Coordinates of all heavy atoms in Angstrom, one line a residue:
I1 N 0.9 -1.2 0.0 CA 0.0 0.0 0.0 C 0.9 1.2 0.0 O 1.8 1.3 0.9 CB -0.9 0.0 1.2 CG1 -1.8 -1.2 1.2 CG2 -1.8 1.3 1.3 CD1 -2.7 -1.4 2.5
S2 N 0.7 2.1 -1.0 CA 1.6 3.3 -1.1 C 0.8 4.5 -1.6 O -0.2 4.4 -2.2 CB 2.8 3.0 -2.0 OG 2.3 2.7 -3.3
A3 N 1.4 5.7 -1.3 CA 0.8 6.9 -1.7 C 1.2 7.1 -3.2 O 2.2 6.6 -3.7 CB 1.3 8.1 -0.9
A4 N 0.3 7.8 -3.9 CA 0.6 8.1 -5.3 C 1.9 8.9 -5.4 O 2.1 9.9 -4.6 CB -0.5 8.8 -6.0
S5 N 2.8 8.6 -6.4 CA 4.1 9.3 -6.4 C 4.0 10.7 -6.9 O 4.9 11.5 -6.7 CB 5.0 8.5 -7.4 OG 4.5 8.4 -8.7
D6 N 2.9 11.1 -7.6 CA 2.7 12.4 -8.1 C 2.2 13.4 -7.0 O 1.9 14.6 -7.3 CB 1.9 12.4 -9.3 CG 0.4 12.0 -9.1 OD1 0.1 11.6 -7.9 OD2 -0.3 11.9 -10.1
G7 N 2.0 13.0 -5.8 CA 1.5 13.8 -4.7 C 0.0 14.0 -4.7 O -0.6 14.7 -3.9
S8 N -0.7 13.3 -5.6 CA -2.2 13.4 -5.6 C -2.8 12.6 -4.5 O -2.1 11.8 -3.9 CB -2.7 12.9 -7.0 OG -2.4 11.6 -7.2
P9 N -4.0 12.9 -4.1 CA -4.6 12.3 -2.9 C -5.2 10.9 -3.2 O -6.3 10.6 -2.9 CB -5.7 13.3 -2.5 CG -6.2 13.8 -3.8 CD -4.9 14.0 -4.6
F10 N -4.3 10.1 -3.8 CA -4.7 8.7 -4.1 C -3.8 7.7 -3.4 O -2.6 8.0 -3.1 CB -4.7 8.4 -5.6 CG -5.8 9.2 -6.3 CD1 -5.5 10.4 -7.0 CD2 -7.1 8.8 -6.3 CE1 -6.4 11.1 -7.7 CE2 -8.1 9.5 -7.0 CZ -7.8 10.7 -7.7
I11 N -4.3 6.5 -3.2 CA -3.5 5.4 -2.6 C -3.5 4.3 -3.7 O -4.5 4.0 -4.3 CB -4.2 4.9 -1.3 CG1 -4.4 6.0 -0.3 CG2 -3.5 3.7 -0.8 CD1 -3.1 6.6 0.2
L12 N -2.3 3.7 -3.8 CA -2.1 2.6 -4.7 C -2.0 1.3 -3.9 O -1.2 1.2 -3.0 CB -0.8 2.8 -5.6 CG -0.8 4.1 -6.3 CD1 0.6 4.2 -7.1 CD2 -1.9 4.2 -7.3
I13 N -2.8 0.4 -4.2 CA -2.9 -0.9 -3.6 C -2.4 -2.0 -4.5 O -3.0 -2.1 -5.6 CB -4.3 -1.2 -3.0 CG1 -4.7 -0.2 -2.0 CG2 -4.3 -2.6 -2.4 CD1 -6.1 -0.3 -1.5
T14 N -1.3 -2.7 -4.2 CA -0.8 -3.7 -5.1 C -1.3 -5.0 -4.6 O -1.3 -5.4 -3.5 CB 0.8 -3.7 -5.0 OG1 1.3 -2.4 -5.3 CG2 1.4 -4.8 -5.9
L15 N -1.9 -5.8 -5.6 CA -2.6 -7.0 -5.4 C -1.8 -8.1 -6.1 O -1.4 -7.9 -7.3 CB -4.0 -7.0 -5.9 CG -4.9 -5.8 -5.4 CD1 -6.2 -5.8 -6.1 CD2 -5.1 -6.0 -3.9
K16 N -1.7 -9.3 -5.5 CA -1.2 -10.5 -6.2 C -2.1 -11.7 -6.0 O -2.8 -11.7 -5.0 CB 0.2 -10.8 -5.7 CG 1.3 -9.8 -6.2 CD 2.7 -10.4 -5.9 CE 3.7 -9.4 -6.5 NZ 5.0 -10.0 -6.4
D17 N -2.0 -12.6 -6.9 CA -2.7 -13.8 -6.8 C -2.2 -14.6 -5.5 O -1.0 -14.6 -5.3 CB -2.5 -14.7 -8.0 CG -3.4 -15.9 -8.1 OD1 -3.0 -16.9 -7.5 OD2 -4.5 -15.8 -8.7
P18 N -3.1 -15.2 -4.7 CA -2.6 -15.9 -3.5 C -1.6 -17.0 -3.8 O -0.7 -17.2 -3.0 CB -3.9 -16.5 -3.0 CG -5.0 -15.7 -3.5 CD -4.6 -15.2 -4.8
S19 N -1.7 -17.6 -5.0 CA -0.7 -18.6 -5.3 C 0.7 -18.1 -5.6 O 1.7 -18.8 -5.6 CB -1.1 -19.5 -6.5 OG -1.2 -18.6 -7.7
D20 N 0.8 -16.7 -5.9 CA 2.1 -16.1 -6.2 C 2.7 -15.5 -4.9 O 3.9 -15.1 -5.0 CB 1.9 -15.0 -7.2 CG 1.5 -15.5 -8.5 OD1 1.8 -16.6 -8.8 OD2 0.9 -14.7 -9.3
V21 N 2.0 -15.5 -3.8 CA 2.6 -15.0 -2.6 C 3.2 -16.1 -1.8 O 2.5 -17.0 -1.4 CB 1.5 -14.3 -1.7 CG1 2.0 -13.7 -0.4 CG2 0.8 -13.2 -2.5
R22 N 4.5 -16.0 -1.6 CA 5.2 -17.1 -0.9 C 5.7 -16.8 0.5 O 6.4 -17.5 1.1 CB 6.4 -17.5 -1.8 CG 6.1 -18.0 -3.1 CD 7.3 -18.3 -3.9 NE 7.0 -18.4 -5.3 CZ 7.0 -17.4 -6.1 NH1 7.3 -16.2 -5.8 NH2 6.6 -17.6 -7.4
G23 N 5.3 -15.6 1.0 CA 5.8 -15.2 2.3 C 6.2 -13.8 2.3 O 5.9 -13.1 1.4
P24 N 7.0 -13.3 3.3 CA 7.4 -11.9 3.3 C 8.2 -11.6 2.0 O 9.1 -12.3 1.7 CB 8.2 -11.7 4.5 CG 8.0 -13.0 5.3 CD 7.5 -14.0 4.4
E25 N 7.8 -10.5 1.4 CA 8.5 -10.1 0.2 C 9.8 -9.3 0.6 O 9.8 -8.5 1.5 CB 7.6 -9.1 -0.7 CG 6.8 -9.9 -1.7 CD 6.2 -9.0 -2.7 OE1 6.8 -8.1 -3.2 OE2 5.0 -9.1 -2.8
I26 N 10.8 -9.6 -0.2 CA 12.1 -8.9 0.0 C 12.3 -7.9 -1.2 O 12.3 -8.4 -2.3 CB 13.3 -9.8 0.1 CG1 13.0 -10.8 1.3 CG2 14.6 -9.1 0.2 CD1 14.0 -11.9 1.4
K27 N 12.3 -6.7 -0.9 CA 12.6 -5.7 -2.0 C 14.1 -5.6 -2.3 O 14.9 -5.5 -1.4 CB 12.0 -4.3 -1.7 CG 10.5 -4.3 -1.7 CD 10.1 -2.9 -1.6 CE 8.6 -2.8 -1.7 NZ 8.1 -1.5 -1.7
M28 N 14.4 -5.7 -3.5 CA 15.8 -5.6 -3.9 C 16.1 -4.1 -4.4 O 15.6 -3.8 -5.5 CB 16.2 -6.6 -5.0 CG 16.1 -8.0 -4.5 SD 16.5 -9.2 -5.8 CE 18.1 -8.7 -6.3
N29 N 16.8 -3.4 -3.7 CA 17.1 -2.0 -4.1 C 18.2 -2.0 -5.2 O 18.2 -1.2 -6.1 CB 17.6 -1.2 -2.9 CG 16.5 -0.9 -1.9 OD1 15.4 -0.9 -2.3 ND2 16.9 -0.7 -0.7
N30 N 19.1 -3.0 -5.1 CA 20.2 -3.1 -6.1 C 20.0 -4.5 -6.9 O 20.4 -5.5 -6.4 CB 21.5 -3.1 -5.5 CG 21.8 -1.8 -4.8 OD1 21.3 -0.7 -5.2 ND2 22.5 -1.8 -3.7
P31 N 19.3 -4.4 -8.0 CA 19.1 -5.7 -8.7 C 20.5 -6.3 -9.1 O 21.5 -5.6 -9.3 CB 18.3 -5.3 -10.0 CG 18.4 -3.9 -10.1 CD 18.8 -3.3 -8.7
S32 N 20.5 -7.6 -9.1 CA 21.8 -8.3 -9.4 C 22.2 -8.1 -10.9 O 21.4 -8.0 -11.8 CB 21.7 -9.8 -9.1 OG 20.6 -10.3 -9.9
M33 N 23.5 -8.0 -11.1 CA 24.0 -7.8 -12.4 C 24.5 -9.1 -13.0 O 25.1 -10.0 -12.2 CB 25.2 -6.8 -12.4 CG 25.7 -6.5 -13.8 SD 27.2 -5.4 -13.7 CE 26.5 -4.0 -13.0
V34 N 24.3 -9.4 -14.2 CA 24.8 -10.6 -14.9 C 25.8 -10.2 -15.9 O 25.6 -9.3 -16.7 CB 23.6 -11.4 -15.5 CG1 24.1 -12.6 -16.2 CG2 22.5 -11.7 -14.5
T35 N 27.0 -10.9 -15.9 CA 28.0 -10.6 -16.9 C 28.2 -11.8 -17.8 O 28.0 -13.0 -17.4 CB 29.3 -10.3 -16.2 OG1 29.7 -11.4 -15.3 CG2 29.3 -9.1 -15.3
F36 N 28.5 -11.5 -19.0 CA 28.8 -12.6 -20.0 C 30.2 -12.4 -20.6 O 30.7 -11.3 -20.7 CB 27.8 -12.5 -21.1 CG 26.3 -12.6 -20.7 CD1 25.5 -11.5 -20.5 CD2 25.8 -13.8 -20.4 CE1 24.2 -11.6 -20.1 CE2 24.5 -14.0 -19.9 CZ 23.7 -12.9 -19.8
S37 N 30.8 -13.5 -20.9 CA 32.2 -13.5 -21.4 C 32.2 -13.3 -23.0 O 33.2 -12.9 -23.5 CB 33.0 -14.7 -21.0 OG 32.3 -15.9 -21.5
S38 N 31.1 -13.6 -23.6 CA 31.0 -13.5 -25.1 C 29.6 -13.3 -25.5 O 28.6 -13.5 -24.8 CB 31.6 -14.7 -25.8 OG 30.8 -15.8 -25.5
I39 N 29.4 -12.9 -26.8 CA 28.1 -12.8 -27.3 C 27.4 -14.1 -27.3 O 26.2 -14.2 -27.0 CB 28.2 -12.2 -28.8 CG1 28.7 -10.7 -28.7 CG2 26.8 -12.2 -29.5 CD1 27.8 -9.8 -28.1
N40 N 28.1 -15.2 -27.7 CA 27.5 -16.5 -27.7 C 27.0 -16.9 -26.3 O 25.9 -17.5 -26.2 CB 28.5 -17.5 -28.3 CG 28.7 -17.4 -29.7 OD1 27.9 -16.8 -30.4 ND2 29.8 -17.9 -30.2
D41 N 27.8 -16.6 -25.3 CA 27.4 -16.9 -23.9 C 26.2 -16.1 -23.5 O 25.2 -16.7 -22.9 CB 28.6 -16.5 -23.0 CG 28.3 -17.0 -21.6 OD1 27.7 -18.0 -21.4 OD2 28.8 -16.3 -20.7
M42 N 26.1 -14.9 -24.0 CA 24.9 -14.0 -23.7 C 23.7 -14.6 -24.3 O 22.6 -14.8 -23.7 CB 25.1 -12.6 -24.1 CG 24.0 -11.7 -23.8 SD 24.2 -10.0 -24.4 CE 23.8 -10.2 -26.1
M43 N 23.8 -15.0 -25.6 CA 22.6 -15.5 -26.3 C 22.1 -16.8 -25.8 O 21.0 -17.1 -25.7 CB 22.9 -15.6 -27.8 CG 23.2 -14.3 -28.5 SD 21.9 -13.0 -28.2 CE 20.6 -13.7 -29.2
K44 N 23.1 -17.6 -25.3 CA 22.8 -19.0 -24.8 C 22.1 -18.8 -23.5 O 21.2 -19.6 -23.2 CB 24.1 -19.8 -24.7 CG 23.8 -21.2 -24.2 CD 25.0 -22.1 -24.4 CE 26.3 -21.5 -23.8 NZ 27.4 -22.4 -23.7
N45 N 22.4 -17.9 -22.6 CA 21.9 -17.8 -21.3 C 20.8 -16.7 -21.1 O 20.3 -16.5 -20.0 CB 23.0 -17.5 -20.3 CG 24.0 -18.7 -20.2 OD1 23.5 -19.8 -20.0 ND2 25.2 -18.5 -20.4
F46 N 20.5 -16.0 -22.1 CA 19.6 -14.9 -22.0 C 18.2 -15.3 -21.5 O 17.6 -14.7 -20.7 CB 19.4 -14.1 -23.4 CG 18.5 -12.9 -23.3 CD1 19.0 -11.8 -22.6 CD2 17.3 -12.9 -23.8 CE1 18.1 -10.7 -22.5 CE2 16.4 -11.8 -23.7 CZ 16.9 -10.7 -23.0
G47 N 17.7 -16.5 -22.0 CA 16.4 -17.0 -21.6 C 16.4 -17.3 -20.1 O 15.4 -17.0 -19.5
N48 N 17.5 -17.9 -19.6 CA 17.5 -18.2 -18.2 C 17.5 -16.9 -17.3 O 16.8 -16.8 -16.3 CB 18.8 -18.9 -17.8 CG 18.7 -20.3 -18.4 OD1 17.7 -20.9 -18.6 ND2 19.9 -20.9 -18.6

């Protein structure tokens, strides 16, 4: 539950399907970075 980012008098409520909720959510402020050694490596692992 959060306030609207534009300062308007609205509240934003985030909803998820019960099957998608696995426990306390951990917010990642710094998403992990993935490095590749070559273009072929990148193309092979991009789907994962």
Side-chain angles (χ1 to χ4, degrees):
I1 299 173
S2 59
S5 60
D6 62 359
S8 60
F10 293 102
I11 302 297
L12 304 177
I13 299 177
T14 304
L15 308 171
K16 285 195 177 183
D17 190 274
S19 63
D20 293 337
V21 179
R22 295 178 200 91
E25 270 190 49
I26 300 171
K27 289 190 176 186
M28 293 179 58
N29 292 334
N30 298 325
S32 59
M33 182 185 299
V34 179
T35 58
F36 300 103
S37 58
S38 68
I39 294 292
N40 289 337
D41 186 32
M42 180 182 79
M43 296 307 289
K44 184 169 48 171
N45 294 310
F46 184 72
N48 291 337

